[in-house]
Amino acid sequence: MGGPSFARDCAVAVVALAVLAILPFTVGSTALLDFVIRCAAFGLFATSLNLLVGYGGMISFGHGMFFGLGAYAFGLLMQRTGLPLPVAFLATLVINAAIAAIIGAICVRLKEIYFAFVTLAFQMLIHSLIISWVGFTGGDQGLRGGIPRPPFLGIDLSNHTQLYLASCVLLVVGLLLMRQVVESPFGYTLRMIRDNAYRARFLGVPVWRMRLVAFVLAAVFASMGGVIMSLFVSGAYPEFAYWTISGEGIFIIMLGGISTFLGPMAGTVILLLLNDWVTRLTDHYGLVLGVVILFFAIGLRKGLLDFAVDWVRGRRTGLGEAPRDA
Amino acid sequence: MLEIDHISKSFGGVKATDDVSLTCPTGSLTAVIGPNGAGKSTFFNQISGALRPDKGRILLDGVDLVGMKPGQIVRAGIGRAFQVASIFPTLTVEETLDAAVGADMGRAGSLARRFPLKETFARARHVLDMLGLADKRRRIASTLSHGDQKLLDIALALVLEPKVLLLDEPTAGMGPEERWRMIEKVHELWAREKLTLVFIEHDMDIVFKIAPRIVVLCYGRVLATGSPAEIRGNSAVIDAYLGTEHGGAAV
């Protein structure tokens, strides 16, 4: 009866965090730690996108704007105000929530394809704004001069290991919170709306309001990814808010799977590994990536983790694509 | 009591509902029949708020529902099932009902707790038992048989504890045997839950057998209202509808 308990998810989170926390002291390779930090940034972003796509059935082509806005808002707050780092972090989330509420109020009433393109349009708008508002954002040069990171509560994020640990904590806490979102009554309301919004309305579900809440929550978690990225590169660049980031998000969830909570996380690892290895071996990165995407889309017809979960279930019941009978 | 008071609805020049009035006393069972295109579904769509009538009033226990949104009409006490089962294909049967009860309790947006909420169990379980879906509660809705999907759709309407239940062709797309099973279930439900039930049905044998009162719609107008015997003997009805199909057989 019922889904996974919060206590069980917390236990998994603690174990995951412990494993990640041991890495710097056992493996100690800077390249590996950097890889994990990037996975944290993109993993939060992709999982938040999947709140919309996988659970809400809202395919956003502009979700990357909140990744970019997270990086810029946090960078600007740290450079221009004397706010302590945790306060600037929280303020970044609030700013993103407010912007998402405005953009979402316009977008969530639109049907599938219009939703996709209007979100994309907003992304282009935000990107143009960043490029053209040179005095504030640094234009196409981005936020330069580094992001100051004064120590707080004994934590110094200019130390690489500490930045790594902080990124892991943000990732795990972010995933735990998003897990709570999808396993809450709200999460099931989202699934109802995805499956049959018309019927949901006849059950008294306030469809637009629920969609808007999902949009705002997804934006907040995406901006957490943006904050990690800005700390990692010590800056913010217009590419963070460009549509290609949204495209990568869609790639990631296609690779990893949209029906399994950790699918986007798996997809993030796959995409970043491909990115790092393939670019080292050949200049034709796009070609290789395209082939991989085709393999997942046409060969498996689903993301890796979705495929694996279905396969395990099929073996257990001997029925192939079995109903969720457990 | 549900009172439909002179409602009309036109699409372009076509009068889909033309000055229809109907009173359904609390606890009554009414069948709506009529040829294809008679405006039966449009009639239901107006009661449930999917469409707004151009004219007239729809009163539930004296409260006018015209202009309310579907969600508000549901809260006012009018539940509805659809001609083509309208369900949530990826949810299990019990998830569907728990989510529906949760929404009805105003918990659709609850983020702090885990699904399903324990306060939804009793109501969801009651309806599952009532419709005989309890042993299929872990099945994903899309894997259910056609008939069970229709039952789940009805369960979705019932779980909100409506005063009035509107069923749009509960037996649509079923074979003869399944049809009778379904209609017996519906009849039993009506008798036990003391609902005000209005249903659309094509099968005349079923209608004449179980409905104490029948409304015949034709071209958006009420052609006749009465008991099965009265409807059978009504010459206008025989001409317009029963004539070819049943008139001969009934004599």
Side-chain angles (χ1 to χ4, degrees):
Chain A
M1 284 293 261
S5 73
F6 184 64
R8 201 202 77 165
D9 287 345
C10 283
V12 173
V14 168
V15 171
L17 199 54
V19 170
L20 288 171
I22 293 169
L23 277 188
F25 309 104
T26 50
V27 183
S29 134
T30 312
L32 178 68
L33 301 192
D34 282 352
F35 181 77
V36 175
I37 295 174
R38 284 163 58 224
C39 282
F42 281 100
L44 281 171
F45 169 62
T47 309
S48 75
L49 174 61
N50 199 40
L51 287 183
L52 297 179
V53 177
Y55 292 93
M58 305 154 76
I59 300 173
S60 170
F61 283 165
H63 197 54
M65 69 181 131
F66 298 112
F67 186 81
L69 282 172
Y72 269 93
F74 180 73
L76 283 166
L77 283 168
M78 290 311 292
Q79 283 185 346
R80 295 184 178 233
T81 69
L83 287 176
L85 197 144
V87 177
F89 172 68
L90 291 176
T92 299
L93 303 189
V94 172
I95 290 168
N96 268 274
I99 294 172
I102 296 166
I103 294 176
I106 297 165
C107 295
V108 296
R109 284 170 183 272
L110 304 170
K111 286 214 182 319
E112 297 85 12
I113 193 73
Y114 300 98
F115 175 80
F117 280 99
V118 175
T119 49
L120 178 61
F122 272 108
Q123 164 128 46
M124 303 304 273
L125 186 76
I126 299 271
H127 181 256
S128 311
L129 198 67
I130 289 171
I131 294 280
S132 53
W133 200 353
V134 180
F136 189 54
T137 62
D140 56 9
Q141 298 295 305
L143 281 188
R144 287 181 306 168
I147 291 178
R149 45 191 85 185
F152 60 96
L153 307 168
I155 301 169
D156 180 9
L157 294 186
S158 39
N159 174 304
H160 190 257
T161 308
Q162 295 201 21
L163 175 63
Y164 166 81
L165 290 173
S167 302
C168 292
V169 169
L170 283 182
L171 170 65
V172 171
V173 170
L175 288 178
L176 192 61
L177 290 173
M178 280 191 268
R179 174 76 166 174
Q180 173 60 30
V181 169
V182 304
E183 294 300 332
S184 69
F186 172 75
Y188 278 79
T189 302
L190 267 189
R191 290 169 176 85
M192 285 167 105
I193 293 172
R194 171 196 66 195
D195 277 10
N196 191 347
Y198 184 74
R199 188 63 163 120
R201 222 167 260 133
F202 276 96
L203 298 171
V205 172
V207 171
W208 307 132
R209 212 167 70 217
M210 295 294 117
R211 280 192 173 147
L212 182 58
V213 171
F215 194 81
V216 170
L217 285 171
V220 167
F221 289 110
S223 71
M224 278 175 73
V227 170
I228 294 178
M229 201 61 191
S230 72
L231 280 167
F232 178 60
V233 301
S234 197
Y237 302 98
E239 301 86 76
F240 293 176
Y242 199 47
W243 68 267
T244 51
I245 292 281
S246 304
E248 275 182 38
I250 300 277
F251 274 174
I252 287 173
I253 62 176
M254 278 178 66
L255 288 176
I258 61 170
S259 309
T260 311
F261 178 72
L262 288 177
M265 216 46 239
T268 302
V269 176
I270 298 171
L271 187 83
L272 292 185
L273 279 178
L274 275 176
N275 195 344
D276 293 2
W277 284 347
V278 176
T279 41
R280 214 175 295 156
L281 297 174
T282 163
D283 292 334
H284 305 293
Y285 171 63
L287 191 66
V288 175
L289 188 66
V291 170
V292 172
I293 298 269
L294 282 178
F295 169 71
F296 279 90
I298 298 174
L300 300 184
R301 293 183 179 238
K302 55 187 83 163
L304 185 67
L305 216 55
D306 286 353
F307 183 79
V309 166
D310 286 347
W311 187 72
V312 170
R313 244 183 226 139
R315 274 177 58 107
R316 205 178 288 160
T317 56
L319 279 173
E321 307 214 348
R324 233 179 317 159
D325 250 346
Chain B
M1 184 162 75
L2 178 67
E3 293 165 275
I4 317 289
D5 183 16
H6 299 287
I7 61 168
S8 295
K9 175 84 192 171
S10 304
F11 298 103
V14 182
K15 286 183 172 171
T17 305
D18 186 4
D19 196 32
V20 170
S21 292
L22 174 67
T23 301
C24 302
T26 303
S28 61
L29 173 58
T30 309
V32 177
I33 64 172
N36 283 331
K40 303 183 297 288
S41 289
T42 305
F43 179 57
F44 266 24
N45 280 336
Q46 290 170 81
I47 304 173
S48 61
L51 290 172
R52 188 192 173 127
D54 300 332
K55 267 185 279 184
R57 297 184 307 162
I58 299 168
L59 303 167
L60 178 64
D61 297 333
V63 179
D64 193 354
L65 305 178
V66 171
M68 286 190 187
K69 293 187 180 124
Q72 294 170 306
I73 290 179
V74 166
R75 292 244 152 78
I78 296 193
R80 169 187 188 177
F82 293 77
Q83 189 174 353
V84 177
S86 185
I87 54 173
F88 304 102
T90 68
L91 299 188
T92 67
V93 170
E94 79 184 338
E95 282 170 351
T96 300
L97 296 184
D98 279 322
V101 177
D104 191 46
M105 289 176 157
R107 304 266 198 280
S110 168
L111 280 162
R113 295 169 62 194
R114 288 267 159 152
F115 180 89
L117 300 168
K118 58 180 179 302
E119 60 263 38
T120 63
F121 281 179
R123 266 168 72 180
R125 190 61 204 223
H126 175 66
V127 170
L128 284 175
D129 289 338
M130 201 157 47
L131 292 177
L133 284 170
D135 55 335
K136 291 167 186 144
R137 65 185 188 280
R138 304 272 164 89
R139 290 272 297 275
I140 291 177
S142 62
T143 69
L144 293 172
S145 69
H146 175 77
D148 285 339
Q149 292 191 5
K150 293 282 282 188
L151 277 178
L152 181 57
D153 190 1
I154 295 173
L156 266 173
L158 273 179
V159 85
L160 306 182
E161 300 178 338
K163 297 176 196 160
V164 175
L165 182 60
L166 309 175
L167 301 180
D168 193 345
E169 291 199 42
T171 67
M174 293 181 180
E177 222 174 288
E178 206 180 4
R179 231 161 229 261
W180 281 105
R181 262 207 310 275
M182 174 60 114
I183 215 67
E184 269 161 27
K185 222 162 229 174
V186 168
H187 190 262
E188 194 188 301
L189 204 70
W190 166 73
R192 190 149 30 108
E193 300 296 311
K194 309 203 166 24
L195 288 163
T196 308
L197 196 126
V198 187
F199 74 105
I200 295 174
E201 180 54 64
H202 265 308
D203 189 323
M204 289 307 124
D205 294 334
I206 286 177
V207 170
F208 286 136
K209 181 119 189 241
I210 78 156
R213 201 165 62 117
I214 299 167
V215 178
V216 185
L217 287 184
C218 196
Y219 298 115
R221 302 184 68 95
V222 175
L223 200 59
T225 307
S227 67
E230 286 166 340
I231 296 297
R232 265 206 192 96
N234 185 307
S235 59
V237 176
I238 292 170
D239 285 349
Y241 187 31
L242 297 177
T244 50
E245 248 184 83
H246 268 260
V251 175

